């Protein structure tokens, strides 16, 4: 989802009201298409994030830091440092609801002359860019992405060219449209009612540019009566002109799915969070979206590997089941040999088959014979076939058990990949290398495994959980104390959750909900096993993170995703306060809980 014109307008207004007069202390370019300007004012400091990523263009202020910065600043970053570092933010400009913001920055050059520069940020999908312009003569100093006339026919973005703004929106924008211009647009929208909200929203976004189809869809859902649309649109125009916004983000199953400056209509199974400023909403949405994309990119390859391995194991189990079915005839082969020996006088020489009565069951059993063999030899043949079938049965049972354990392990890896963070996914890659699913990298320096996540509950109890199999094993077999309460989704692979301290029934319910959620049950009822950590032990399978347990009781809980998401957010905040930004520091062991190494 892109930041639409209304969102850009809200962000730019907040910048103008809050940060004009601030000094530009430092400029970074941590990624090829991302700039960060560290601002410092009397009232505080912040970082302007200006991303021209074609898939996720965005701009907002944030206190978070990038995961890393290049040792050598890129060309455009060096240029901006030369012209803008130490300068003062003189103004923030945005025309109507265009997705373009200009930062006017005053700076004193080496000769002591004052000069004004314009840093233009365009967040327009694949055309997103950052351009440094000399405000005096409109000459382009340079652009983050240089564009020649052979690439775009409407403008050039190269050093020395005269800066030309991006083509304006066609037709009346949402902000400027008059009642006479709105009326035919609404009439056409009414005619689309049978096609549903999406069709109406796309029509509004196209006919009155400046808002995204998603924001327009929220407007339609919040005003279901089409007779109110003209009046509601006029009211929305007044609201935006007065900079009265309702910055909101929608979450579904821990995924950020929507951002709107005018509010979000209630939806089933969707949590809607409203923020005091558009910057905060944009930061929350885009940082979650960027994290989701990073996870998807990191996890995609590994999920494909795990899927292939699971398919292979499922086929192996099917073949072993066939072998087990055939081997189950072993007892019948043994009984045939015994019957032949018990009824030797009754079996004629050279017979191809014989029907004998089982003295124990009274059942008549037809036994195939080899006419070239004597009955005693035929009995020995059945005993040999029985011994072979018995060995096959034992081998097939062992192999099937191993394959089933490996399948459970891979399913737990798949869940961890879907629920994990980028750091946790890196650990999963290392784990898969150790388990032999990936070729071990000889040159890569292996980081120290991260500690399991934790949070302090209001009751004083501590809640801890693993984010992958390595952390699950560390938590359950090394950190856990004998009396800690241990949770696991009943009958399925998933996260290990530990509850330490005097826990209330509500604490147990929350731990069970968290366990179910992290194991893939994001909504509905779930059965979660609860036992003391003393009854948890390493599985004989020796697979990372696989354990056995007993003395359990089962809790049935209704998973409340909103409560779990708040808990996960609290854990992230506590981690940030203890260790700094999670994006700039490695996961460190918390001062609490104190590790307790179990023998």
């Amino acid at each position: 989802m892109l930041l639409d014109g209304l969102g850009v307008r809200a962000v730019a207004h907040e910048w103008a009201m809050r940060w004009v007069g601030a000094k530009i202390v430092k400029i970074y370019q941590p990624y090829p298409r991302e700039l960060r300007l560290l601002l410092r004012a009397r009232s505080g400091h912040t970082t302007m994030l200006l991303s021209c990523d074609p898939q996720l263009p965005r701009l907002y202020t944030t206190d978070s830091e990038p995961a890393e910065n290049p040792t050598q600043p890129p060309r455009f970053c060096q240029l901006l440092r030369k012209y803008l570092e130490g300068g003062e933010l003189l103004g923030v400009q945005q025309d109507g609801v265009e997705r373009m913001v200009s930062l006017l920055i005053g700076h004193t050059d080496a000769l002591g002359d004052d000069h004004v520069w314009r840093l233009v940020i365009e967040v327009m999908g694949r055309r997103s860019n950052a351009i440094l312009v000399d405000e005096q003569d409109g000459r382009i100093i340079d652009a983050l992405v240089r564009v020649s006339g052979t690439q775009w026919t409407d403008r050039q973005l190269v050093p020395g060219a005269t800066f030309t703004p991006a083509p304006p929106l066609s037709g009346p924008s949402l902000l400027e449209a008059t009642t006479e211009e709105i009326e035919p647009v609404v009439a056409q929208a009414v005619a689309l009612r049978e096609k549903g909200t999406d069709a109406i929203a796309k029509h509004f976004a196209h006919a009155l540019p400046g808002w995204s189809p998603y924001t327009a869809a929220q407007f339609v859902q919040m005003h279901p009566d089409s007779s109110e649309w003209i009046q509601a649109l006029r009211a929305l125009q007044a609201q935006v002109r007065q900079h009265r916004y309702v910055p909101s983000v929608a979450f579904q199953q821990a995924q950020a799915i929507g951002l709107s400056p005018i509010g979000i209509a209630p939806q089933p199974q969707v949590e809607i969070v409203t923020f005091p400023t558009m910057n905060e909403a944009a930061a929350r949405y885009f940082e979650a979206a960027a994290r989701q994309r990073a996870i998807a990119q990191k996890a995609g390859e590994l999920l494909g590997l795990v899927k292939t391995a699971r398919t292979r194991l499922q086929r192996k189990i099917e073949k072993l089941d066939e072998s087990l079915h055939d081997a189950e005839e072993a007892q019948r082969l043994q009984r045939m040999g015994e019957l032949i020996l018990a009824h030797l006088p009754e079996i004629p020489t050279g017979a191809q088959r014989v029907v004998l009565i089982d003295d124990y069951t009274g059942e008549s059993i037809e036994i195939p014979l080899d006419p070239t063999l004597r009955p005693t030899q035929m009995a020995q043949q059945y005993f040999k076939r029985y011994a072979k079938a018995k060995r096959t049965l034992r081998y097939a049972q062992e192999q099937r058990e191993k394959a089933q354990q490996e399948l459970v392990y891979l399913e737990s890896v798949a869940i961890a990949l879907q629920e994990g963070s980028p750091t946790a996914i890196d650990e999963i890659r290392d784990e898969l290398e150790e388990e032999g699913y990936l070729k071990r990298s000889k040159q890569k320096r292996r980081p120290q495994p991260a500690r399991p996540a934790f949070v302090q509950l209001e009751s004083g109890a501590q809640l801890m959980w693993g984010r992958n199999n390595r952390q699950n094993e560390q938590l359950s077999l090394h950190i856990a104390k004998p009396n800690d309460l241990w949770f696991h989704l009943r009958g399925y692979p998933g996260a290990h959750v530990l509850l330490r301290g005097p826990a209330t029934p509500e604490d147990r319910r929350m731990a069970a909900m968290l366990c179910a959620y992290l194991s893939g049950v994001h909504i509905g009822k779930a059965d979660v096993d609860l036992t003391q950590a003393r009854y948890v032990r390493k599985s004989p399978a020796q697979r990372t993170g696989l354990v056995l347990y007993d003395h359990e009781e089962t809790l049935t809980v209704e998973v409340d995703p909103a409560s779990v998401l708040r808990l996960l957010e609290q854990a992230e905040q506590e981690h940030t306060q203890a260790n700094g930004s999670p994006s700039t520091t490695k996961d460190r062991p918390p001062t609490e809980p104190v590790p307790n190494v179990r023998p």
Side-chain angles (χ1 to χ4, degrees), residues 244-441:
R244 293 185 291 110
Y245 305 100
V246 187
S248 305
V249 179
F251 294 91
Q252 187 173 43
Q253 297 183 357
Q255 305 292 308
I257 63 170
L259 169 68
S260 171
I262 66 170
I264 296 177
Q267 303 168 50
Q269 302 178 10
V270 172
E271 181 188 16
I272 300 168
V273 182
T274 301
F275 294 84
T277 68
M278 191 64 198
N279 272 276
E280 293 177 64
R284 178 67 178 274
Y285 172 80
F286 284 111
E287 287 176 5
R291 178 177 177 273
Q292 289 162 205
R293 186 175 66 168
I295 291 173
Q297 291 173 344
K298 281 178 170 285
E301 176 190 353
L302 300 183
L303 280 171
L305 172 73
V306 170
K307 182 180 179 180
T308 301
R310 289 168 68 185
T311 301
R312 174 183 57 80
L313 281 172
Q314 288 167 347
R315 291 174 180 170
K316 181 179 181 179
I317 289 174
E318 289 175 1
K319 292 181 178 180
L320 288 171
D321 285 340
E322 294 176 2
S323 299
L324 286 171
H325 181 269
D326 296 339
E328 286 175 354
E329 295 293 319
Q331 296 297 329
R332 185 175 177 84
L333 294 171
Q334 180 187 32
R335 190 62 188 143
M336 286 180 177
E338 293 172 347
L339 286 174
I340 291 174
L341 294 179
H343 297 272
L344 284 176
E346 304 173 23
I347 303 175
T349 303
Q352 294 185 348
R353 63 186 62 254
V354 66
V355 177
L356 301 176
I357 304 299
D358 189 330
D359 297 332
Y360 293 101
T361 64
E363 177 186 4
S364 296
I365 300 178
E366 183 177 352
I367 303 176
L369 300 174
D370 185 343
T372 64
L373 298 178
R374 294 193 301 273
T376 53
Q377 292 175 320
M378 196 67 238
Q380 292 303 316
Q381 288 290 327
Y382 274 111
F383 288 140
K384 287 180 181 179
R385 289 171 58 188
Y386 160 70
K388 181 179 179 180
K390 190 175 181 181
R391 290 193 299 271
T392 300
L393 179 64
R394 186 183 309 113
Y395 175 80
Q397 288 173 335
E398 291 175 355
Q399 291 300 308
R400 192 189 189 287
E401 184 177 352
K402 289 180 180 179
Q404 189 63 44
Q405 290 174 344
E406 187 176 358
L407 186 62
V408 170
Y409 167 76
L410 289 173
E411 288 173 350
S412 69
V413 170
I415 292 173
L417 285 170
Q418 293 166 356
E419 302 289 341
S421 64
T423 303
I425 291 172
D426 288 337
E427 287 190 20
I428 294 172
R429 177 178 288 276
D430 292 339
E431 178 186 323
L432 291 173
E433 289 179 2
E434 292 178 358
E435 295 289 342
Y437 293 98
L438 282 172
K439 185 177 180 180
R440 186 183 294 273
S441 175

Side-chain angles (χ1 to χ4, degrees), residues 86-327:
E88 179 182 349
L89 181 62
L90 302 178
V92 180
Q93 297 178 352
Q94 188 228 10
D95 184 14
V97 284
E98 298 283 351
R99 287 180 292 160
M100 177 185 71
V101 173
S102 293
L103 304 179
L104 297 178
I105 300 166
H107 193 272
T108 303
D109 60 24
L111 299 177
D113 297 329
D114 293 334
H115 206 95
V116 177
W117 307 97
R118 179 183 293 267
L119 180 60
V120 182
I121 310 299
E122 299 174 347
V123 283
M124 301 175 179
R126 64 184 182 87
R127 287 200 170 197
S128 298
N129 211 337
I131 310 106
L132 180 62
V133 180
D134 188 331
E135 182 67 4
Q136 184 175 349
D137 56 15
R139 178 175 52 91
I140 294 177
I141 305 302
D142 207 347
L144 179 62
V145 181
R146 293 177 178 176
V147 180
S148 65
T150 58
Q151 294 172 280
W152 293 353
T153 58
D154 53 353
R155 63 199 297 229
Q156 292 187 57
L157 300 176
V158 294
T162 300
F163 174 70
T164 303
L169 298 170
S170 59
S173 72
L174 172 67
L175 187 64
E176 299 168 347
T178 64
T179 302
E180 290 72 20
E181 292 170 324
I182 290 175
E183 287 176 349
V185 173
V186 169
Q188 294 172 0
V190 171
L192 294 171
R193 290 184 63 180
E194 293 183 357
K195 295 186 177 181
T197 300
D198 289 344
I200 298 172
K202 290 179 180 178
H203 166 70
F204 272 140
H206 176 74
L208 298 172
W211 53 349
S212 66
Y214 182 84
T215 301
Q218 306 316 307
F219 170 83
V220 174
Q221 292 174 6
M222 289 187 286
H223 301 89
D225 187 352
S226 59
S227 64
E228 300 177 356
W229 285 350
I230 295 177
Q231 183 179 356
L233 282 170
R234 297 295 290 170
L236 178 61
Q237 286 180 320
Q239 176 184 335
V240 173
R241 287 168 181 162
Q242 297 169 14
H243 296 290
R244 293 185 291 110
Y245 305 100
V246 187
S248 305
V249 179
F251 294 91
Q252 187 173 43
Q253 297 183 357
Q255 305 292 308
I257 63 170
L259 169 68
S260 171
I262 66 170
I264 296 177
Q267 303 168 50
Q269 302 178 10
V270 172
E271 181 188 16
I272 300 168
V273 182
T274 301
F275 294 84
T277 68
M278 191 64 198
N279 272 276
E280 293 177 64
R284 178 67 178 274
Y285 172 80
F286 284 111
E287 287 176 5
R291 178 177 177 273
Q292 289 162 205
R293 186 175 66 168
I295 291 173
Q297 291 173 344
K298 281 178 170 285
E301 176 190 353
L302 300 183
L303 280 171
L305 172 73
V306 170
K307 182 180 179 180
T308 301
R310 289 168 68 185
T311 301
R312 174 183 57 80
L313 281 172
Q314 288 167 347
R315 291 174 180 170
K316 181 179 181 179
I317 289 174
E318 289 175 1
K319 292 181 178 180
L320 288 171
D321 285 340
E322 294 176 2
S323 299
L324 286 171
H325 181 269
D326 296 339

